[in-house]
Amino acid sequence: MNGLELQNILLTFPEGGQRRTVLDIPYLKVTSGEHVGIRGASGSGKSSLLNVVSGLVLPDRGTVRWGATVPGALPEHQRDRWRGQHIGFVFQDFQLFPELEALENVLLPATFTGWRIPEALIRRGRGLLEQMHVCPTRKVRALSRGEKQRVAIARAVLLKPGIILADEPTASLDEANAGQVTLLLSGYARTLGSTLLVVSHDDAVLANMDRVLDLNRGTIREAA
């Protein structure tokens, strides 16, 4: 997977009978395998940026390119398939199914590509959880917040994605768990050679990135 390139991106949302600018990015490049932190005040467009670069939201104008692929140019079903094959997501609120076991949650991305999950993926999922000191057979509802986020990271890296997108992955964790999650996330991304984009207010998270971008009212610049 080659790097990310954004050109002439404009994203607006309707508000009060007009259009409010959410993102206005003339150009942004992230090289393959680079780890980039994105910070900014609430409402600055951070989550919208992740949605645009993943193809979940199409901009009003401009091009998002991952290597030779322009997700916005793909039909919706092909865009969904591309996203499932190449992008791993980690969210602040985990987005896990509480009544399923930890391993069942981790294996969910594999169910989108076929009815049968290969035994090799099952072993990989179990191994990831064991490395993260989470019991594969425990129900998610019985896990601590730190354990839930570790399950979410295992799910994100199960298919060895070329891209990992994390939206405030430590915001709901205490300091100890936040530090552990930060090291896990960046460590697995380094091992896989994945491009990592992390939206965060956490200075400890941002310190682990190769560079940091400031997002302010939809415009982006290199942090000082």
Side-chain angles (χ1 to χ4, degrees):
M1 172 64 64
N2 292 317
L4 166 70
E5 190 172 20
L6 274 63
Q7 291 182 308
N8 298 317
I9 295 296
L10 177 68
L11 177 68
T12 64
F13 289 162
E15 185 176 279
Q18 298 182 331
R19 305 289 299 187
R20 177 174 64 87
T21 297
V22 179
L23 293 174
D24 185 0
I25 302 174
Y27 186 77
L28 173 65
K29 184 175 180 64
V30 176
T31 60
S32 180
E34 189 175 15
H35 292 192
V36 177
I38 302 163
R39 68 185 178 192
S42 178
S44 62
K46 302 185 299 300
S47 295
S48 294
L49 177 59
L50 294 188
N51 289 337
V52 165
V53 302
S54 68
L56 282 168
V57 172
L58 299 182
D60 302 45
R61 182 192 71 209
T63 303
V64 176
R65 185 183 301 276
W66 284 100
T69 301
V70 179
L74 300 174
E76 186 174 0
H77 70 283
Q78 291 184 20
R79 190 164 66 246
D80 291 343
R81 184 179 305 160
W82 174 85
R83 188 183 305 114
Q85 292 173 340
H86 296 288
I87 299 183
F89 292 93
V90 181
F91 303 95
Q92 175 183 344
D93 58 358
F94 319 130
Q95 297 198 11
L96 302 173
F97 290 89
E99 296 307 315
L100 295 182
E101 295 176 355
L103 181 59
E104 291 173 323
N105 272 277
V106 169
L107 294 175
L108 282 174
T111 66
F112 301 143
T113 58
W115 291 104
R116 290 179 59 84
I117 301 175
E119 183 61 35
L121 271 184
I122 296 174
R123 289 196 300 270
R124 174 169 167 76
R126 186 177 292 112
L128 286 168
L129 289 171
E130 289 171 351
Q131 289 170 19
M132 297 181 190
H133 306 291
V134 178
C135 176
T137 57
R138 285 192 72 192
K139 299 282 189 184
V140 163
R141 57 177 164 75
L143 300 178
S144 69
R145 298 189 70 80
E147 289 172 324
K148 288 176 182 176
Q149 195 59 296
R150 298 202 294 273
V151 172
I153 292 173
R155 179 186 59 189
V157 304
L158 175 73
L159 299 181
K160 301 181 179 180
I163 308 158
I164 300 174
L165 304 179
D167 194 353
E168 298 285 4
T170 64
S172 62
L173 304 179
D174 60 35
E175 185 176 350
N177 277 305
Q180 186 176 47
V181 161
T182 299
L183 292 175
L184 283 171
L185 187 57
S186 58
Y188 277 105
R190 297 281 183 206
T191 298
L192 295 173
S194 303
T195 302
L196 175 63
L197 300 183
V198 181
V199 164
S200 183
H201 291 96
D202 188 335
D203 289 339
V205 173
L206 297 174
N208 274 272
M209 300 297 106
D210 298 325
R211 62 182 172 126
V212 176
L213 303 174
D214 283 322
L215 195 57
N216 181 26
R217 296 183 180 180
T219 63
I220 205 161
R221 62 178 177 82
E222 297 284 340

